[in-house]
Every structure is written in C-alpha cells, then in structure tokens.
Amino acid sequence: MKKISIVIPCYNEQDALPLLVDELEKLIIRMKNDATFEIILVDNCSEDDTLKIMKKLHKKDKKYRYISFSRNFGKDSSIYAGLKASTGDFVTIMDADLQDPPELLIEMYKILKSGDCDCIAARRKNRKGEPLIRSMLADIFYKVMQKISDYEIVSGARDFRLMTRKMVNAVLEMEETVRFTKGIFAWVGFKTTWIAFENKERSAGKTKLPMKNAISYAMRGIVAFSTVPLLLASVIGMIFCFAALIYTVVIVFNHFILNNIVSGYSSLMCVLLFGFGLVLLILGIIGQYLAQMYLEVKRRPKYIIKESC
Ligand code: UDP
Ligand code: MG
C-alpha cells in the first residue's frame, strides 16, 4: 500500500487544528483501503497552544509528526521543511484552517493513480466570503503574472495539491531562500491536472495573511518569476529619452529659428517632477531585484528547527 504524507503549515492555529484533525481522521478511515498516512505539522513558533496540541497528537498517534521552528519563517519555508521531512510516495500540502477541503484528497488520489500526471492541484472557483478589494487585487495579480511570467500560475490556485515523489524531489531541489511556492510548482513543470472547488471560509481563528503581507507576497512572486518589470523600466526610460530628444529639437527650433525665447516655468516643473518620479520608480523596481539577489547571495537557512519528531 502506498503512503501519503500530508504537510500542514501552522501559525497560531489552536482553534482550527482540532477541527482539521477530526476531518483528517474521517478521511483516513474513508481511504483505509487505498493508502497509509503520515501527517507532518509544521509549527511556525506559534504564540498559542498550537505546539502543545501537536505534541499531544504525536504522543497519542505516531502518524502525527511535528516540526517546530525557532520563529515564524512563513508558510513557504514551512512547506519546504515539511516536504523535506516527508517520507510518503505521494505528498500533499494543506492549510490548517479547512480552506483546503481534506475530502478532495479522495478524488485527487483516484485521478493521480489512474492518470499519467504527477500532480493534481486544487483551485478555487471563486473567492466568495473574501473582502472584495482583496479578491479584486488577487485577480489583477494573477492576470499580470500570467502576462509577464513564462510559467503558468493559474488564478485561484492553492498550494493544496497531491504530488508524486518525483515532483516533490524536484521542488526540494529549488533551494532559493525567498520562496514563492506557487511559482516553484509551475517552474518545475510535470503534468498537472486541476480540479476546482467552491471557496470555503476559515474554520476558526483569524487569517494569518493580512493585506499588507499579501501585497508583499505578490511582489515577491513577481520579482522571483519574471524579469519583465526590469525590461519595462528600460522601455519606459527609452520612451522618455526619445520624447526628451524631440522636445529638445522643438526648443532649439523655437529659440534659433522662431526667436521665441519665452520659456514656460510650469511645463518645465511638470516635466522635472514627472521625470524624477519616474527615475525613482525605475530605481525602486531595480532595487526589488537587488534586494532579492542580496537575500539569495547570503544563503541563509530557509528555517531553523527548534524541535521535531
Ligand atoms: N501560515 C503559517 N505562517 C504564516 C502565515 C500562515 O504557517 O506566517 C499558515 C496558516 O497557519 C495556515 C496557512 O498558512 O495554515 C494559510 O494561512 P491563512 O489561512 O491565514 O491565509 P489565507 O487563507 O487567509 O490566505
Ligand atoms: Mg486560510
């Protein structure tokens, strides 16, 4: 019988974790003739009783394992740590808040066993229940990402997916420190089948990815998987140089041919302000890439484990 590892990143999930475990137990019973399970709970140094619950689970049932970090290294690092610790023939990643419905795993496993693909990935059909502004920004992000990146990052894609060991090993080979897991999944390739499901609201507790973190997550993704912004910066720079050249010709013509020496202060100020703003914007874009390079070059560990079993 094949073994499925379930990797679950957790940060302050004391209320959601027991509900998830209930659902997982039901799932394991339903799949008892198909596979055995290993559940790897990754604790991001939670401030509540999450780790205590994990330890209790492990004491009661050895299929529950846990890894506890020295601080919150973020969801993407937890995914990496969980995948690295996993020993199953197939591995799945699941949020702790039941927004990735565990029962979907039955269908995923069926498709993976019968088909010739290496990954069955889940995507939300809609973002019902989410604040409107957040879902609008997310939509824009995925549209932009699809345009400027060579790798297919599907709108509504979750990290929730069932992968073969081959694909997991490929993901583990991507050792970058600044991780954007959805991009990494797309980058490693492998044939992926998508299944859609209705969005679910968080089972308990509060979101750990507030708006400002979501925006920096999106920027990290763009910088990690596309260099188009850099190209765009150069193109905008070139357009402005060209416009400046034409304007210079006009000024020279005015000055020497038409003898029209009156100069416009306001138009000059507008051009100056806009020009400076643009230069700063372009420097900012370059800075984003430089910052990511800086973090990569240092080769710091992606996480530090405090305890595990
Ligand atoms: N998470 C984590 N570290 C973080 C933020 C989130 O391990 O810094 C975990 C969290 O416990 C959950 C999953 O990542 O299991 C998704 O987080 P959340 O549900 O808060 O994000 P949302 O669904 O609101 O985007
Ligand atoms: Mg959630």
Side-chain angles (χ1 to χ4, degrees), residues 11-13 15-16 97 202-209:
Y11 178 59
N12 291 347
E13 298 288 7
D15 299 324
D97 57 3
R202 183 172 246 286
S203 58
K206 275 197 300 214
T207 175
K208 310 297 171 326
L209 200 73

Side-chain angles (χ1 to χ4, degrees), residues 2 15-16 50 78 167 171 175 187 219 254 270 279 295:
K2 299 283 187 198
D15 299 324
T50 303
S78 331
M167 179 159 171
V171 171
E175 297 212 38
W187 194 94
M219 292 214 345
N254 262 340
C270 287
V279 169
L295 290 173

